[in-house]
Amino acid sequence: MLGIKRLGLLAALVLVGVAPAAAAQAAAQPSTQDTQYLQAVHQVNLFEITAGDLAQQKGQDQGVKDLGAMLKTDHTQLDQTVQQTASQLGVELPNEPSADQQAVIDKLNNASGAEFDRLWVTSELAGHVQAIQATQTEISQGSEQSVVQLAQTALPTLQTHYDELVALANKLGIPVPQTSASGTPSPGGTGTESPAPGGTGTESPAPGGGSTESPAPGGGTTEVPAPSES
């Protein structure tokens, strides 16, 4: 009888131990915000790696080639952290750029010379504004610390990329979206329209005052002011 009681007590203790463990595992599941950010920034990285290759291969201006190499290196490194974090949290990542991103890649593949440089810089400006906005949102609204820390680490890199793109655009005479009063990108501010992660492309300015359709990496349509220039 004593042995049976001990077994019963042991079973009870095991059950008591399992319940908190199960609860902890459930609590560890990343939020929708954290999950969507990991998936979106991964797609941005996939796009940037491909676009960086294209810039090095097809860029007419040496600045386009050099910046393409920089973006490819930085986004490759960032994506290693994204994949590691997603794996730890059990988040499944997409294996290809979004439809809008692929549409931009197709346009870049079909462009050449100065047209390629203009299209590449324009799409990169729009894409980095959206990436910065998404990263700022994760920092302010994310709940999983590892994802928030990833965003905090990514933000200065993305801002540096944007500043380099602005300098290159000015050199090549390519219009740059206006900056908001605060100097940071925020939905609803003044500027040109460009697509946010996951949505469809709208128009962004082309040299000479005309407009060309330039979907940015990542998604839905918002009015996008540019980040601050350094």
Side-chain angles (χ1 to χ4, degrees):
M1 288 293 294
L2 184 59
I4 293 175
K5 287 182 179 179
R6 285 179 176 173
L7 287 173
L9 177 60
L10 179 60
L13 289 172
V14 168
L15 289 174
V16 169
V18 167
Q25 183 177 9
Q29 295 300 310
S31 67
T32 299
Q33 164 62 37
D34 296 325
T35 297
Q36 290 181 345
Y37 177 71
L38 286 172
Q39 293 170 338
V41 76
H42 176 60
Q43 285 188 308
V44 166
N45 292 333
L46 293 178
F47 172 87
E48 293 297 342
I49 291 167
T50 300
D53 276 335
L54 289 173
Q56 293 173 79
Q57 296 165 12
K58 304 185 66 176
Q60 175 174 281
D61 186 88
Q62 188 60 43
V64 172
K65 293 178 178 290
D66 293 344
L67 190 51
M70 173 184 171
L71 265 56
K72 178 183 177 182
T73 297
D74 289 350
H75 281 277
T76 298
Q77 292 175 350
L78 174 59
D79 203 54
Q80 291 173 353
T81 304
V82 171
Q83 292 187 55
Q84 181 181 30
T85 302
S87 177
Q88 292 170 346
L89 296 175
V91 173
E92 184 174 350
L93 297 176
N95 56 15
E96 59 187 11
S98 68
D100 285 341
Q101 292 167 334
Q102 188 58 52
V104 176
I105 291 170
D106 291 343
K107 288 183 178 182
L108 291 171
N109 275 318
N110 292 326
S112 61
E115 179 190 2
F116 173 89
D117 289 355
R118 180 198 57 76
L119 179 59
W120 187 84
V121 172
T122 300
S123 62
E124 287 291 343
L125 283 167
H128 274 79
V129 168
Q130 295 302 326
I132 289 171
Q133 287 184 330
T135 300
Q136 290 173 330
T137 299
E138 173 60 28
I139 291 171
S140 63
Q141 299 181 16
S143 55
E144 171 56 49
Q145 191 57 35
S146 63
V147 184
V148 173
Q149 288 177 345
L150 185 155
Q152 290 171 334
T153 300
L155 186 58
T157 299
L158 294 171
Q159 183 66 57
T160 296
H161 290 173
Y162 182 84
D163 294 341
E164 293 288 341
L165 286 162
V166 168
L168 182 57
N170 290 333
K171 172 190 169 185
L172 298 177
I174 298 171
V176 176
Q178 298 177 20
T179 308
S180 66
S182 65
T184 57
S186 57
T190 58
T192 57
E193 287 191 0
S194 91
T200 57
T202 56
E203 295 185 352
S204 74
S211 293
T212 56
E213 188 176 306
S214 178
T221 304
T222 57
E223 202 173 86
V224 182
S228 60
E229 299 180 27
S230 58

